[in-house]
Amino acid sequence: MMTNLFSVFDPTSSIFSNWLSLFSGIILLPVSFWLLPNRALTIWKQLLGKLDSEFSLLLGPMKMGATLLFVSLFSFILYNNFLGLFPYIFTATSHLVVTLSLALPLWFSFILFSWIRETTHALAHLVPLGTPMALMPFMVLIELISNFIRPITLSVRLAANMIAGHLLLTLLGNQGPLSGIYSVGLILLSQVLLLVLEFSVAIIQSYVFATLATLYASE
């Protein structure tokens, strides 16, 4: 068992902290098909409908059902972000293996599709409109680099944001046994505020990941 600060991010460091948490949402998914409608399920379906409309606007008329992919991606990341807030459960989205596995295939499929089906548009996208002739080679290089680092920025952004909040909660929790009664109350209040912030970060990062993937697809 790891004894350092990053042991919370090791999927083998605890009994329940394992990769099974990554697939638990798939196991619970069929429940929504036979569960009686309630207020929470209605709100969730309305949220997914709003996301579907927004992603449809970003993708344009040639969406061809692609919004289902990005709505599912948002739901998957959001579920794992929330699941990681519970004790003794491994946060799968804080691991680069998971985030890269989500970002890299999407990015590669977008690049492959654009260069095979829309070769002219893909070449034109490397040089922005109005670029002087002398700067065109540099702009092509910059655009190529920006395209190639997109999966890295997508995956690192999600993993880093999930790691940062959990590290703060762990650091504050480790100070409890060494503090006085008044300090413990302040630590508990800080942890509650950080937990509320982590709930917000879990939602925002899921939305940012899905929205950026949609924007990359629309290009």
Side-chain angles (χ1 to χ4, degrees):
M1 178 181 293
M2 297 177 64
T3 56
N4 58 17
L5 186 61
F6 291 90
S7 61
V8 68
F9 304 109
D10 180 20
T12 61
S13 62
S14 182
I15 298 176
F16 300 104
S17 300
N18 49 53
W19 291 106
L20 291 178
S21 62
L22 185 64
F23 306 104
S24 58
I26 302 175
I27 299 174
L28 299 175
L29 184 62
V31 176
S32 60
F33 292 100
W34 57 264
L35 192 66
L36 292 176
N38 51 38
R39 185 172 299 175
L41 191 60
T42 303
I43 294 175
W44 175 248
K45 289 183 177 180
Q46 289 178 352
L47 174 63
L48 295 184
K50 293 289 185 182
L51 286 174
D52 182 76
S53 302
E54 184 172 345
F55 292 159
S56 298
L57 292 176
L58 292 175
L59 290 173
M62 298 298 293
K63 57 181 181 178
M64 295 181 296
T67 54
L68 179 61
L69 170 65
F70 299 109
V71 171
S72 302
L73 182 66
F74 169 82
S75 304
F76 178 78
I77 296 175
L78 182 64
Y79 174 79
N80 282 280
N81 288 349
F82 278 150
L83 198 65
L85 296 176
F86 290 92
Y88 303 108
I89 296 181
F90 171 59
T91 310
T93 48
S94 66
H95 208 292
L96 279 176
V97 171
V98 177
T99 54
L100 270 176
S101 299
L102 294 174
L104 197 58
L106 285 174
W107 170 83
F108 184 73
S109 62
F110 299 155
I111 292 295
L112 196 62
F113 178 82
S114 63
W115 283 99
I116 292 177
R117 297 291 301 273
E118 301 288 343
T119 308
T120 305
H121 178 73
L123 290 173
H125 186 69
L126 296 177
V127 181
L129 187 64
T131 303
M133 186 68 68
L135 295 179
M136 283 186 179
F138 300 100
M139 293 304 298
V140 171
L141 182 62
I142 292 172
E143 288 293 328
L144 285 175
I145 294 175
S146 66
N147 283 331
F148 279 110
I149 66 173
R150 280 179 175 180
I152 300 176
T153 55
L154 268 180
S155 55
V156 170
R157 181 189 293 108
L158 177 58
N161 279 282
M162 298 311 298
I163 287 175
H166 286 67
L167 280 179
L168 287 175
L169 289 172
T170 305
L171 283 170
L172 286 175
N174 291 337
Q175 300 302 316
L178 307 176
S179 305
I181 183 170
Y182 297 107
S183 300
V184 169
L186 184 61
I187 289 173
L188 287 176
L189 178 61
S190 302
Q191 283 195 319
V192 170
L193 295 177
L194 276 175
L195 193 60
V196 174
L197 179 63
E198 278 295 289
F199 272 100
S200 304
V201 170
I203 299 173
I204 292 171
Q205 289 305 313
S206 307
Y207 177 75
V208 167
F209 194 99
T211 303
L212 287 177
T214 308
L215 289 173
Y216 295 160
S218 66
E219 291 183 1

